Amino acid sequence: MGGKQDPTANGSPKSESMGAKKASPDLLNSSFSFKSLKLKTKQQELLLRVSILGLVYVLAFIARLFSVLRYESMIHEFDPYFNYRTTLYLTEKGFYEFWNWFDSESWYPLGRIIGGTLYPGLMVTAALIYWTLRFLRFFVHIREVCVLTAPFFASNTTIVAYFFGKEIWDTGAGLVAAALIAICPGYISRSVAGSYDNEAVAIFALLLTFYLFVKAVKTGSLSWALGSAFGYFYMVSAWGGYVFIINLVPLYVLVLLITGRYSMRLYVAYNCMYILGMLLAMQIRFVGFQHVQSGEHMGAMGVFLLMQVFYFLDWVKYQLNDTKLFQTFLRITVTSAILVGGIALGVGTASGYISPWTGRFYSLLDPTYAKDHIPIIASVSEHQPTAWSSFMFDYHILLFLFPAGLYFCFKRLSDATIFIVMYGLTSLYFAGVMVRLILVATPAVCLISAIAVSATVKNLTSLLRTKQKVPQTGSTKGVGSSKSSSKVTLDQSQPFQKNGAIALLVGVFYLLSRYAIHCTWVTSEAYSSPSIVLAARGAHGNRIIFDDYREAYYWLRQNTPTDAKVMSWWDYGYQITAMGNRTVIVDNNTWNNTHIATVGRAMSSYEDEAYDIMRSLDVNYVLVVFGGVTGYSSDDINKFLWMVRIGGGVYPVIKEPDYLVNGEFRVDKGASPKMLNCLMYKLCYYRFGELVTEYGKPTGYDRARGVEIGNKDIKLEHLEEAYTTSNWIVRIYRVKPPTNRL
Amino acid sequence: MVKSTSKDAQDLFRSLHSAYSATPTNLKIIDMYVVFAVFTALIQVAYMALVGSFPFNSFLSGVLSCVGTAVLAVCLRIQVNKENKEFKCKTIVTNLGGIVAMFVIAV
């Protein structure tokens, strides 16, 4: 039965190890040294657990190293380059300079207050690791530390997942949760080696905070609550997604209050965490006073006040031993509390003191909001709603183990299981709204699935181990067990029960092994590409590497004056400042929509108007990304319509229908004249009309769009070509000074 | 209606008063501390309403630290109260010292 103390979770290796030890007593007894190795059951179990955890720890680290082995140890994508640059600055200049840094190399005329607009957790963590290693005389480069920070913290997350699983269910579930989360693609996608982004550290902080809070609620001790406050502080310093914690925890407390599970432990845990967490969180400049002023954080404050009311009522009820008096008191207090709270909230929101929900988070509640009002948020591919294929891709078998786990959680409801159910459901809802948030849902899904797996396997193995006892019929639960009849008679189906259990166990192990294979395949194929270096298969099957991005950035670094300003679309801003070391006009921070719209307008205007805009911004070089020669499809021509939309959102002179023909976006002869003569088109296709890209196709055949371009004879008046990389992926143009007037 | 509610209120006060006097002294000391902390916080809020919230940081830190000590003292009271069956007394002394020290650092 499940109630027996059953130390094994993954099959029954214990029985065979015990058997092996018993089978050779002669050998053991003869050599004296071996006798001391005959461990007791508890010690064997401990050894098993520790070794499993150790293996899972190493596995989580190794699974993320594909790109380091295939390419080299470098930072991937776009955002990590900014984090790398800031970490470099931190290690070179020290914490004080870093905290007060004003950067004049990005957002050209405006600059950016970096110290006040970033989440320092990741950089400080990497810098601490770097300084520790240096102290131990390992002189590594900061880039290596940055690249490997994410896998290191992924390993730590598995340990936290083990402890969390132990809290919710038992050690078996903890072990399975650790193993599942070590290789789950939903988590790997953002924590692969080289993906030096906030989420690498944030998921660890998230799980740690949740674990410490659940432990605090369970024990009611102040020290755990304090720990969760510090965990929350770490989370706030690491990622903007801390808003999820500050809303989920009050929601959880509210649910507990409503279901009648109010207790002193809950009071102690929540109050301590909220007040201390809030105080600590306000130390981060980027967060500032949002905890008392922003609408997103008001839920936590409301629940805090509600807790005080509950505690007060509880205390009064305890003091008075008379229910009638207490009822009147209750009525008075509750009405006055609700009245006061409602008035305060109303006044605060109406007067604007409490700011409403910001666009980023509002679009989570109303997914259509961003598309209509804020095109920049809508344009990011990670913010699109999730397709079912993404869910299957990222979760595989966990997708159907999740409802099974929910069933088990509901069977054994306690404060801890209520929490994990709430976490799982809310995070899955948000994961459905935005692809990027699959990452936040991953720990919950892994934990709940682990409960399903662990409980199933435990029941099945205990069924196997019951010998001639009266069959406990309740233990035939498990995946697909509805087929095996639970209402069994004593003798007949006893052997079939055992066979059924064995068959089901084999099925479970088969599923888990397929999961492992799938995860490894996904990691290797889909999530290990550095994005800055592209690879393709040549005609003979050999691997061809396109290192054009870095080629262009280093050309910029070495061949342009140090105060040159580069205009490009905002995607490349971070990389240009980090690797090219030049000032940019707009970058990935996207904090100023008008500035980006100005660049968008320049890219979509005719060359003369664009020249005026570029002169006003002091632009010296323009950088565009073009995939027509290689068939690379994330180039600027494919992003062009977003430039038009964003530019048109601020400057009504840019109208999207001008660039489309019958609502269709074309670049061949049938394209609209505005499209054929705008700056982006000219810069991308300059001299392209003479190039043969594919055998048998005419010159100027664009391989990414699959058409022959419309305007092959391009003349540039105010710009001249400065550099084009070897595969034509990045093209840099110099802005000519105005011609002399005679 | 009014008369009965006022009579109810009086009865309420009387029974509360008699029940409260029965609590042990150490708990009453903690209660006094809680009242003091809340009172300090209220004074700060009144001051801000009068003078304006210019150094908002200091206002917030003042109020929140008062509220924080009040809350922590209440937690202490919960744990020390022998009539609360959910807690055991033995861990309290180390807790309080550690908690107050860390709290001061946090502020």
Side-chain angles (χ1 to χ4, degrees):
Chain A
M1 282 292 275
K4 223 167 38 188
Q5 175 66 289
D6 192 356
T8 62
N10 296 323
S12 44
K14 176 186 159 288
S15 49
E16 56 195 48
S17 65
M18 280 293 273
K21 286 210 158 46
K22 282 207 180 76
S24 55
D26 310 317
L27 250 75
L28 286 171
N29 282 334
S30 57
S31 54
F32 205 79
S33 55
F34 278 127
K35 203 167 186 186
S36 53
L37 280 183
K38 195 171 179 187
L39 302 166
K40 298 199 290 276
T41 314
K42 256 191 139 26
Q43 287 173 324
Q44 278 183 343
E45 188 223 342
L46 185 65
L47 178 67
L48 209 57
R49 262 193 289 149
V50 168
S51 51
I52 289 179
L53 271 181
L55 284 176
V56 165
Y57 192 90
V58 173
L59 175 69
F61 192 85
I62 299 182
R64 290 162 164 81
L65 292 181
F66 274 104
S67 71
V68 172
L69 295 171
R70 283 179 187 163
Y71 302 96
E72 61 179 271
S73 155
M74 67 178 139
I75 314 268
H76 297 353
E77 303 248 327
F78 301 114
D79 279 353
Y81 272 98
F82 171 70
N83 297 330
Y84 173 60
R85 181 168 161 246
T86 48
T87 316
L88 203 56
Y89 192 86
L90 172 61
T91 51
E92 283 170 4
K93 301 265 176 28
F95 188 70
Y96 190 71
E97 289 293 320
F98 168 74
W99 200 235
N100 293 307
W101 187 15
F102 179 82
D103 183 34
S104 37
E105 274 195 30
S106 50
W107 298 88
Y108 169 55
L110 311 166
R112 178 185 170 185
I113 310 172
I114 292 197
T117 56
L118 59 50
Y119 286 105
L122 176 70
M123 296 90 186
V124 171
T125 311
L128 279 176
I129 298 178
Y130 172 73
W131 284 325
T132 316
L133 287 174
R134 289 223 136 198
F135 178 72
L136 296 172
R137 300 291 178 258
F138 287 111
F139 289 108
V140 292
H141 192 270
I142 182 69
R143 193 190 63 239
E144 315 296 343
V145 175
C146 290
V147 164
L148 293 175
T149 298
F152 174 59
F153 273 91
S155 303
N156 295 341
T157 308
T158 60
I159 304 293
V160 178
Y162 163 69
F163 283 109
F164 204 178
K166 197 158 82 121
E167 270 312 302
I168 300 175
W169 201 255
D170 61 15
T171 54
L175 286 173
V176 178
L180 288 179
I181 208 172
I183 48 175
C184 188
Y187 186 26
I188 287 192
S189 62
R190 304 288 299 198
S191 70
V192 84
S195 171
Y196 182 56
D197 209 351
N198 298 61
E199 289 96 343
V201 174
I203 296 296
F204 169 70
L206 181 90
L207 212 54
L208 189 68
T209 311
F210 283 152
Y211 164 62
L212 292 172
F213 185 67
V214 168
K215 190 91 186 182
V217 171
K218 228 181 182 188
T219 59
S221 111
L222 266 179
S223 43
W224 287 109
L226 199 68
S228 76
F230 277 101
Y232 177 63
F233 170 57
Y234 189 37
M235 179 70 190
V236 170
S237 72
W239 196 32
Y242 74 90
V243 177
F244 181 62
I245 298 190
I246 201 67
N247 282 313
L248 180 62
V249 167
L251 198 63
Y252 166 64
V253 170
L254 204 61
V255 165
L256 283 187
L257 290 179
I258 292 176
T259 55
R261 283 172 179 270
Y262 170 76
S263 65
M264 297 295 196
R265 299 170 282 124
L266 182 64
Y267 180 82
V268 169
Y270 181 64
N271 279 333
C272 179
M273 187 216 172
Y274 177 62
I275 293 291
L276 285 181
M278 181 161 73
L279 267 176
L280 287 171
M282 293 205 258
Q283 310 301 315
I284 309 288
R285 280 169 64 188
F286 196 23
V287 172
F289 300 128
Q290 277 181 14
H291 275 76
V292 288
Q293 284 179 340
S294 150
E296 294 147 9
H297 301 79
M298 285 299 119
M301 190 179 282
V303 172
F304 173 67
L305 295 172
L306 193 65
M307 285 291 282
Q308 309 306 320
V309 170
F310 254 81
Y311 176 71
F312 186 55
L313 289 176
D314 207 41
W315 182 66
V316 169
K317 182 155 117 179
Y318 174 73
Q319 297 280 9
L320 306 170
N321 289 325
D322 183 354
T323 40
K324 208 167 95 41
L325 274 179
F326 178 65
Q327 298 290 9
T328 35
F329 182 71
L330 180 66
R331 259 186 297 119
I332 301 171
T333 325
V334 168
T335 41
S336 57
I338 293 180
L339 217 64
V340 167
I343 290 178
L345 191 68
V347 164
T349 322
S351 68
Y353 188 71
I354 298 180
S355 58
W357 284 57
T358 54
R360 262 179 68 183
F361 296 112
Y362 191 72
S363 61
L364 287 179
L365 296 177
D366 177 15
T368 57
Y369 178 75
K371 203 147 199 270
D372 300 329
H373 298 265
I374 316 177
I376 265 202
I377 296 181
S379 74
V380 182
S381 68
E382 298 170 318
H383 291 180
Q384 306 306 320
T386 326
W388 269 111
S389 53
S390 300
F391 272 117
M392 191 61 192
F393 197 64
D394 280 339
Y395 287 142
H396 202 236
I397 60 167
L398 302 185
L399 211 51
F400 62 81
L401 284 179
F402 181 74
L406 280 182
Y407 162 74
F408 280 109
C409 285
F410 274 106
K411 275 195 49 153
R412 204 209 281 186
L413 269 185
S414 68
D415 291 346
T417 44
I418 291 184
F419 180 79
I420 197 69
V421 164
M422 288 198 59
Y423 175 28
L425 292 176
T426 47
S427 60
L428 262 194
Y429 166 72
F430 289 123
V433 174
M434 209 188 253
V435 170
R436 191 177 180 187
L437 297 179
I438 283 192
L439 174 71
V440 175
T442 302
V445 170
C446 285
L447 278 166
I448 295 184
S449 315
I451 292 177
V453 171
S454 167
T456 308
V457 171
K458 190 182 253 195
N459 288 332
L460 290 176
T461 49
S462 65
L463 188 65
L464 277 182
R465 285 155 58 81
T466 57
K467 304 231 180 345
Q468 249 63 22
K469 287 193 210 154
V470 177
Q472 281 91 357
T473 55
S475 51
T476 52
K477 290 189 249 306
V479 176
S481 69
S482 52
K483 300 191 194 90
S484 64
S485 54
S486 45
K487 51 164 190 69
V488 294
T489 56
L490 271 166
D491 303 342
Q492 279 173 294
S493 31
Q494 178 87 327
F496 293 142
Q497 255 186 1
K498 281 219 158 140
N499 289 348
I502 293 179
L504 285 174
L505 267 182
V506 168
V508 168
F509 292 141
Y510 172 70
L511 274 181
L512 289 175
S513 62
R514 291 304 308 182
Y515 171 72
I517 294 174
H518 170 86
C519 293
T520 324
W521 174 81
V522 163
T523 313
S524 160
E525 289 299 317
Y527 289 139
S528 297
S529 78
S531 299
I532 192 168
V533 168
L534 313 160
R537 294 250 158 240
H540 307 283
N542 55 330
R543 201 168 69 140
I544 307 181
I545 305 269
F546 298 117
D547 209 0
D548 287 42
Y549 279 102
R550 295 196 292 177
E551 189 188 332
Y553 300 139
Y554 274 90
W555 183 89
L556 266 184
R557 193 190 188 109
Q558 291 163 349
N559 294 295
T560 56
T562 30
D563 61 349
K565 298 163 192 71
V566 181
M567 179 172 95
S568 69
W569 192 233
W570 58 261
D571 295 14
Y572 317 109
Y574 280 155
Q575 287 179 342
I576 296 177
T577 35
M579 278 190 276
N581 205 21
R582 293 288 174 267
T583 313
V584 287
I585 307 290
V586 288
D587 69 15
N588 307 56
N589 192 29
T590 64
W591 65 271
N592 191 334
N593 195 33
T594 313
H595 218 52
I596 296 183
T598 313
V599 171
R601 179 182 174 189
M603 294 294 196
S604 26
S605 318
Y606 292 123
E607 197 184 341
D608 298 322
E609 303 160 15
Y611 185 64
D612 289 333
I613 299 177
M614 289 195 287
R615 291 289 302 158
S616 76
L617 288 174
D618 285 346
V619 175
N620 302 114
Y621 289 88
V622 182
L623 186 146
V624 293
V625 170
F626 172 57
V629 174
T630 49
Y632 177 53
S633 57
S634 319
D635 64 350
D636 280 355
I637 294 283
N638 279 346
K639 292 179 194 169
F640 182 64
L641 276 184
W642 282 110
M643 300 186 199
V644 171
R645 282 178 199 137
I646 295 176
V650 176
Y651 299 102
V653 67
I654 307 283
K655 300 189 228 348
E656 194 181 336
D658 289 346
Y659 300 88
L660 304 170
V661 175
N662 294 332
E664 208 188 306
F665 180 61
R666 296 168 66 168
V667 294
D668 54 359
K669 276 207 174 33
S672 66
K674 182 117 201 217
M675 181 69 209
L676 289 176
N677 287 300
C678 69
L679 185 70
M680 177 57 73
Y681 188 94
K682 282 183 158 182
L683 293 184
C684 284
Y685 292 121
Y686 182 65
R687 285 195 307 119
F688 185 63
E690 306 137 12
L691 197 66
V692 175
T693 52
E694 216 173 286
Y695 180 70
K697 293 278 195 308
T699 57
Y701 181 75
D702 184 345
R703 288 180 71 192
R705 258 68 51 183
V707 293
E708 185 188 342
I709 61 171
N711 185 0
K712 292 192 192 174
D713 188 23
I714 297 178
K715 301 237 182 325
L716 290 173
E717 192 189 330
H718 298 289
L719 296 114
E720 59 182 3
E721 187 180 0
Y723 189 67
T724 299
T725 55
S726 44
N727 295 302
W728 287 55
I729 291 188
V730 182
R731 312 194 66 183
I732 305 179
Y733 292 83
R734 188 179 300 118
V735 177
K736 293 199 281 204
T739 53
N740 289 328
R741 276 175 277 197
L742 287 165
Chain B
M1 185 61 188
V2 179
K3 235 183 168 186
S4 65
T5 37
S6 71
K7 190 171 171 308
D8 278 342
Q10 281 181 352
D11 283 339
L12 203 65
F13 277 134
R14 238 175 279 130
S15 46
L16 271 178
H17 187 73
S18 59
Y20 187 65
S21 345
T23 55
T25 326
N26 54 351
L27 291 184
K28 280 196 196 159
I29 295 178
I30 298 179
D31 289 341
M32 291 282 7
Y33 180 67
V34 172
V35 169
F36 163 70
V38 172
F39 186 57
T40 316
L42 287 174
I43 291 183
Q44 289 186 357
V45 173
Y47 178 79
M48 183 206 83
L50 283 176
V51 178
S53 69
F54 166 55
F56 199 56
N57 312 41
S58 24
F59 163 68
L60 273 184
S61 69
V63 171
L64 286 179
S65 54
C66 289
V67 175
T69 46
V71 162
L72 283 176
V74 172
C75 296
L76 176 68
R77 188 184 191 280
I78 290 174
Q79 292 188 335
V80 166
N81 196 351
K82 291 186 193 54
E83 291 153 20
N84 270 336
K85 294 167 220 59
E86 297 176 23
F87 293 91
K88 305 177 190 58
C89 299
K90 54 178 160 66
T91 53
I92 300 314
V93 175
T94 44
N95 256 350
L96 178 61
I99 300 313
V100 172
M102 274 199 265
F103 177 68
V104 170
I105 292 174
V107 172

